[in-house]
Amino acid sequence: MARFYCRWRTVLVCVCTPCISLVLLFAYVAVMLCLHDCTTAPRPIHFVAPGTFSNQSFGPLPKTFWELRQHGDTIWNRLQLTIDRQFNVILRPNNIERGSDNDTSYESLRMQGFSEATNLDNMRKNFDQLPQQLQEFVSHMHRRDYPTLIQPDGVCGAGARDEREAPLLLLAIKSTKRNFTNRQAIRQTWGQAGWRKGKGGEGGGYVRRVFLLGKGREKNVGVRSSKLLQMESERYGDILQWDFRDTFFNLTLKDVLFWSWFSHSCNRTLFVFKGDNDVFVNTPRMMTYLQDQLKKPQAHKTIEDFMIGDVIVAALPNRANQSKYFIPDSFYKGRYPPYAGGGGVVYSGLLTKRLHHMSKRVHLFPIDDVYVGMCMVRLNARVVHHPAFLTFDFPNREEEEELCSYHTILLVHKRSPTQVVKLWADMKVTQALCWDAPLREANLKDNTTTV
Ligand SMILES: *[C@@H]1O[C@H](CO)[C@@H](O)[C@H](O)[C@H]1NC(C)=O
Ligand SMILES: *[C@@H]1O[C@H](CO)[C@@H](O)[C@H](O)[C@H]1NC(C)=O
Ligand SMILES: *[C@@H]1O[C@H](CO)[C@@H](O)[C@H](O)[C@H]1NC(C)=O
Ligand SMILES: *[C@@H]1O[C@H](CO)[C@@H](O)[C@H](O)[C@H]1NC(C)=O
Ligand SMILES: *[C@@H]1O[C@H](CO)[C@@H](O)[C@H](O)[C@H]1NC(C)=O
Ligand SMILES: *[C@@H]1O[C@H](CO)[C@@H](O)[C@H](O)[C@H]1NC(C)=O
C-alpha cells in the first residue's frame, strides 16, 4: 500500500510539476502580451497638445511599467517619485490609512524630495540648462502658501445671497488685473449670478461667479491698480486674488489655491466650471446638462468622479523651445496623462474636494491643465470627453454660421468681450427657434461628410 502510494506520488510530482510550471509560464506570457498590447493599442486621440504639430512627434509608449523608472533623473519626475513612493500601495500598504494626514506633514514630504534632489549632480546640471522662466518656476515650486489679498465677503462668490438651495454651479474664471473688459462682458452675459433658468427657460438653479487673479505681472505694481481692483471687488463681490505674480507658469497655483478656498468656503456647490476669461459659455444649456447628470441612476456615485471637457489624450510635452508650452526633457519625461483643455472644464464639487486633498501629494507643474490631469490619474478618476466643448473653436466657418450652432455647444474658445456680448444677444433672438437643437456629438462631422 505504502509503495503504491509512493509511486503515485512520484508520478504526481513528475507530471504535475511541469504542468504547473507550464501553466504559470503561460499565464506570465499572457499577462506580458496583454500589457504590451494594452499599452501600444491605438487610443482615441481627440487633439494633440498645443505645439505638437504632427503625429510624428509621438514617441513610442513606455513598453513596461519598469521603464517609467528611467525617467528618474529629470527634475519633476524625480521630485514626484519621492512622494509617489511614499503613497505606493504595494511598497507601503499602511500609508493609505496613516493618521498624519495634515498639511505640515505633506509639506515636509514635498520638501524632502527637494533636499534629496539638490544633492544630485545630475539634477543640478539639469536645472542649469533650463530656460530662465522654468528656473524661476522650479525655485518657487515648493511654495503654495500665498495669502489671499481680496476675497468675496465671507461667502462663495457673487450671487450667494437669498439662496434657498445648494448652488448648482460656481463659475471660477481665470482672469488678470488688466482684463477688466473681459470680466464686465462675462458679468453681463453668460456669467450672471443668482437664480438662472436652464435651456429654453426650463428648470433652473443658483449660479455663483468668482474671478481668480494673481498680483499683476510687474514686480512693483501700482497702488492705483490695486485700489481699482479693490473697488471692483466691493461693487461685484466676485474677486478672489492671491499674493503671487500672475504669470503663465503660475497658473497652476490658481487651481491649487482655488480648490482649497472652495473646500473651506463653497463646499455645498454641486458643480464647478473653471475656465479662461476669453471663452463663451452656453450657461443655460450647461445647467440643464448638469441637472440631467444628477438625475441619472447611480448619480450619487458617478458624481464623485465627474469631470468633462475637451480631452487631450497621450500628448507629449512640447519640445519646441520658442513655444510658451515648452517643457524640456531635463524637466519632465514621459507622456502627459489624459487631461481636459484649460479653456474650460466642468467638474463636481465632490471631486473638487478630492482634488484639493490629492494636490498636496502632487508637485506643482507649470502647465495648469496637465497638472489637473496628473491629480486625476492619482485619484483613479477619468475625465470624460464632450464634443460640445470647443476649446479649439468650431472646426469650420460653415458649422459656426448655421442658425443654431451656438445652441449646440457648451463652450467655445476664444471670443473677445465684444463678441461675447453680441453672441449672448444673438442667442436670445434664436432661442425660440433653437431650444430643441441637440448638443454636438462626436460623429456629427463624419456623418455629414459621408452623406
Ligand atoms: C500621420 O501624419 C502623416 C503626415 O505627417 C499622415 O500621412 C498620416 O496619415 C498620419 N497618421 C495618422 C495615424 O494620423
Ligand atoms: C502632523 O503630523 C505630524 C506627523 O507626521 C505630527 O508630528 C504633527 O504634530 C501633526 N501636526 C498637526 C497640526 O496635527
Ligand atoms: C487680457 O489682458 C491682456 C493684457 O494683460 C491682453 O494681452 C489680452 O489681450 C487680454 N485678453 C483679451 C481676450 O482681451
Ligand atoms: C510665481 O509667483 C511667485 C510669487 O509672486 C514669484 O516669486 C515667482 O517668480 C512666480 N513664478 C513664475 C514662474 O513666474
Ligand atoms: C464648508 O463651507 C462652510 C461655509 O460655506 C464652512 O463653514 C465649513 O467649515 C466648510 N466645511 C469644511 C469641511 O471646510
Ligand atoms: C532653441 O533650440 C535651438 C536648436 O534646437 C537652439 O539653436 C537655440 O539656441 C535654442 N534657443 C533657446 C532660446 O534656447
Side-chain angles (χ1 to χ4, degrees):
M1 190 63 192
R3 259 183 75 179
F4 182 73
Y5 174 74
C6 208
R7 255 179 65 191
W8 269 107
R9 212 169 62 166
T10 318
V11 169
L12 271 175
V13 168
C14 291
V15 174
C16 290
T17 312
C19 273
I20 290 168
S21 309
L22 268 175
V23 167
L24 284 176
L25 185 68
F26 181 75
Y28 173 76
V29 169
V31 166
M32 289 321 276
L33 275 179
C34 172
L35 268 182
H36 182 266
D37 273 358
C38 300
T39 47
T40 53
R43 304 199 202 173
I45 292 174
H46 300 294
F47 196 85
V48 179
T52 33
F53 299 111
S54 72
N55 59 12
Q56 287 162 339
S57 50
F58 279 129
L61 285 164
K63 290 244 163 50
T64 66
F65 174 72
W66 308 110
E67 210 179 316
L68 293 174
R69 283 175 179 266
Q70 290 169 14
H71 300 157
D73 61 350
T74 60
I75 294 176
W76 194 90
N77 305 62
R78 169 74 212 194
L79 288 171
Q80 187 58 32
L81 199 62
T82 313
I83 304 183
D84 283 345
R85 270 203 194 123
Q86 195 73 24
F87 292 99
N88 185 309
V89 204
I90 298 168
L91 294 180
R92 293 164 199 264
N94 302 331
N95 246 1
I96 304 302
E97 310 292 340
R98 67 189 194 139
S100 58
D101 192 38
N102 63 40
D103 286 359
T104 333
S105 66
Y106 282 118
E107 195 176 331
S108 66
L109 185 57
R110 290 196 301 264
M111 290 310 288
Q112 187 191 329
F114 273 95
S115 48
E116 280 172 21
T118 41
N119 289 328
L120 297 170
D121 283 347
N122 253 354
M123 294 283 277
R124 235 176 289 149
K125 215 165 68 204
N126 279 342
F127 178 81
D128 292 339
Q129 284 167 0
L130 293 181
Q132 200 236 323
Q133 270 217 24
L134 259 177
Q135 286 193 356
E136 181 97 18
F137 173 83
V138 175
S139 8
H140 294 93
M141 81 187 258
H142 59 284
R143 269 205 70 189
R144 41 176 90 181
D145 57 342
Y146 297 103
T148 316
L149 295 177
I150 301 178
Q151 59 180 320
D153 262 357
V155 280
C156 115
R161 261 175 289 152
D162 314 322
E163 278 175 2
R164 282 172 305 265
E165 56 189 74
L168 178 65
L169 180 60
L170 169 66
L171 306 168
I173 305 150
K174 293 178 270 182
S175 189
T176 60
K177 234 179 213 174
R178 292 182 179 186
N179 289 129
F180 175 72
T181 34
N182 298 60
R183 292 196 288 281
Q184 279 305 72
I186 292 169
R187 284 177 183 128
Q188 292 161 22
T189 57
W190 60 263
Q192 290 172 33
W195 175 265
R196 312 299 312 162
K197 284 186 180 150
K199 171 193 116 181
E202 297 162 15
Y206 286 102
V207 174
R208 291 176 174 189
R209 176 187 68 235
V210 67
F211 291 103
L212 315 175
L213 290 92
K215 217 175 30 170
R217 225 157 289 214
E218 306 76 21
K219 287 237 161 90
N220 44 354
V221 281
V223 181
R224 212 173 74 87
S225 76
S226 335
K227 202 67 174 260
L228 281 178
L229 198 68
Q230 189 70 48
M231 280 161 64
E232 192 181 332
S233 167
E234 279 160 24
R235 174 105 165 71
Y236 299 104
D238 58 4
I239 301 288
L240 181 53
Q241 187 197 23
W242 296 279
D243 189 12
F244 62 79
R245 273 171 65 211
D246 213 338
T247 58
F248 180 66
F249 281 170
N250 263 348
L251 279 180
T252 310
L253 285 170
K254 290 192 184 175
D255 287 275
V256 172
L257 296 175
F258 166 72
W259 292 339
S260 169
W261 176 79
F262 178 93
S263 304
H264 294 117
S265 312
C266 260
N267 47 44
R268 268 166 19 105
T269 312
L270 293 172
F271 294 99
V272 171
F273 163 86
K274 177 153 177 301
D276 288 334
N277 67 359
D278 55 355
V279 298
F280 180 80
V281 180
N282 185 351
T283 319
R285 197 77 209 232
M286 184 82 83
M287 291 167 64
T288 305
Y289 178 82
L290 294 174
Q291 277 168 332
D292 290 346
Q293 304 311 303
L294 293 173
K295 285 178 205 144
K296 285 189 172 168
Q298 301 292 311
H300 63 284
K301 267 202 183 141
T302 54
I303 292 296
E304 279 194 6
D305 281 354
F306 180 86
M307 181 184 284
I308 55 164
D310 187 358
V311 176
I312 298 159
V313 182
L316 276 176
N318 188 321
R319 306 294 196 205
N321 65 8
Q322 320 79 339
S323 164
K324 88 167 177 178
Y325 300 98
F326 175 54
I327 296 292
D329 66 358
S330 53
F331 183 74
Y332 179 83
K333 267 193 197 155
R335 280 169 190 278
Y336 287 151
Y339 68 96
V345 53
V346 174
Y347 41 81
S348 68
L350 291 174
L351 183 58
T352 312
K353 283 185 258 184
R354 297 173 65 210
L355 285 166
H356 167 57
H357 288 300
M358 186 48 79
S359 69
K360 296 173 190 173
R361 298 185 196 173
V362 186
H363 278 291
L364 297 178
F365 191 80
I367 317 266
D368 62 342
D369 41 12
V370 172
Y371 180 76
V372 180
M374 289 168 160
C375 295
M376 286 290 279
V377 289
R378 284 170 177 81
L379 282 172
N380 199 18
R382 217 167 61 85
V383 47
V384 174
H385 179 71
H386 198 302
F389 281 75
L390 303 183
T391 52
F392 298 97
D393 217 326
F394 283 91
N396 55 56
R397 269 309 272 252
E398 294 94 75
E399 282 187 48
E400 182 180 357
E401 279 163 8
E402 279 168 24
L403 181 68
C404 294
S405 57
Y406 280 89
H407 293 266
T408 68
I409 61 154
L410 293 171
L411 170 139
V412 64
H413 187 240
K414 315 169 116 174
R415 294 294 180 268
S416 71
T418 335
Q419 285 171 321
V420 164
V421 171
K422 181 166 187 311
L423 281 173
W424 189 252
D426 288 351
M427 283 188 68
K428 285 251 158 73
V429 175
T430 49
Q431 189 179 12
L433 269 171
C434 296
W435 72 274
D436 211 12
L439 278 181
R440 282 177 78 89
E441 284 173 26
N443 51 5
L444 203 68
K445 207 174 137 223
D446 303 341
N447 283 347
T448 51
T449 48
T450 51
V451 170

